[in-house]
Each structure stands twice: as C-alpha cells, then as structure tokens.
Amino acid sequence: MPRYLSITLEKRGVSCVAELLDKDAPRTCEAVWQALPQVGPVHHAKYARNEVYTMVPRFAEEEPGQENPTVTPIPGDVVYFSFPGGMLDRAFKEEKGIHELPGVIDLAIFYGRNNLLLNGDVGWVPGNVYATIVEGLDRMAEACNDVWRSGSVGETLRYDRYEG
C-alpha cells in the first residue's frame, strides 16, 4: 500500500502530496517516515536552480546511505541529502543556523526543470530520490518561485504524513 507525504510552505499556505518510492529507496523512505513531522526554515537553492529545502538535525538511527541517487533531479522529485558537519563551510552553516550540529539532513523538493546538483565548493552532490509529487506541483512550483523572488524570511517547509 502506497504511503504519502504532505509538504507545505506554511506561511504561503500551499501544500502538495508526494508518494514515497518504497521500492526504489526503502531505507530512506523508512527513515523519513519514522521521523515525521519535520519542519524548518525554507531556503532556495543557489546552485541547483529550482529547489527549495530545509535543513534539520540528523534523525535516523542509522543513515540510509545512497539509494536511488541522482544529480539531475526532475520536477516533482523529493530528495534526501545527508551532510556530515565537515562537508559544509563555516559561513554557510552560520548563515543557516546549523553551525553547532555534527551534521544535517537536507530535505528538498524540485519544482522545475534543468537542475544540476553540482556545488562549486565540493563538486557533485548526489541525493536520494525517495518520493515524487503526485498532487499540487503546479501551485507548489508557483509558491517556490515566489520564495526565490520575494524571499524566504519567515517561511517554513513542513513534511508530514498524509493519510488522504
């Protein structure tokens, strides 16, 4: 039986529904599912292009490792990144308020085309595609683009179980 997430930009009041890809990324799906809800300040990507994300403290008892990885996410991809503390530079960690954490989880959604997970500081950054948006991508894409244009201050990105 499929499992679903509700992903919400809280201040903008816009949500979408994503189906977990349990067959393709079972460890990542289970780690995220068991840790829900997750919420944090939203950020718009600088390098990847059409991405919004939040960074949260590590939550899995054991990191899922790489599964169903990509460096070219498509619209609707919901992606999990695990960053050890030493991978992110000091200024970035201070800007995001995560400088005291030993590592972080980046929970991201991609809302448009032509994304490339190439970071100028560290190179290729593959992420685990663990869900796909199946409802509400158009409205969420408009809201995500507004995060880019209008700013992210005061906005949060929330992940919840969706029971439909």
Side-chain angles (χ1 to χ4, degrees), residues 14-163:
V14 176
S15 295
C16 61
V17 176
E19 182 177 346
L20 291 179
L21 301 174
D22 281 304
K23 290 181 181 176
D24 297 321
R27 296 183 312 272
T28 307
C29 289
E30 190 60 21
V32 171
W33 188 257
Q34 293 305 320
L36 294 174
Q38 289 291 324
V39 63
V42 71
H43 306 285
H44 197 286
K46 289 181 181 179
Y47 300 108
R49 192 171 169 131
N50 299 300
E51 172 194 6
V52 296
Y53 64 94
T54 190
M55 293 185 150
V56 298
R58 290 179 176 225
F59 49 74
E61 284 186 35
E62 185 175 322
E63 279 300 311
Q66 199 169 65
E67 59 180 357
N68 201 30
T70 190
V71 293
T72 55
I74 62 173
D77 277 351
V78 183
V79 183
Y80 171 103
F81 301 90
S82 178
F83 294 115
M87 183 173 180
L88 304 171
D89 71 53
R90 180 188 51 77
F92 178 85
K93 290 189 293 188
E94 288 174 355
E95 173 189 328
K96 304 294 188 230
I98 59 172
H99 56 284
E100 295 180 11
L101 298 175
V104 295
I105 300 304
D106 174 332
L107 298 173
I109 64 172
F110 290 83
Y111 65 90
R113 298 181 60 206
N114 301 321
N115 303 294
L116 189 60
L117 301 179
L118 180 61
N119 180 297
D121 294 329
V122 297
W124 295 103
V125 184
N128 294 354
V129 180
Y130 71 94
T132 187
I133 296 173
V134 295
E135 183 181 309
L137 179 57
D138 289 346
R139 284 193 65 229
M140 182 59 84
E142 288 177 20
C144 291
N145 196 51
D146 187 59
V147 170
W148 173 252
R149 287 188 340 259
S150 301
S152 64
V153 175
E155 182 63 272
T156 55
L157 188 61
R158 182 178 185 88
Y159 292 76
D160 290 292
R161 292 181 183 189
Y162 180 78
E163 304 298 337

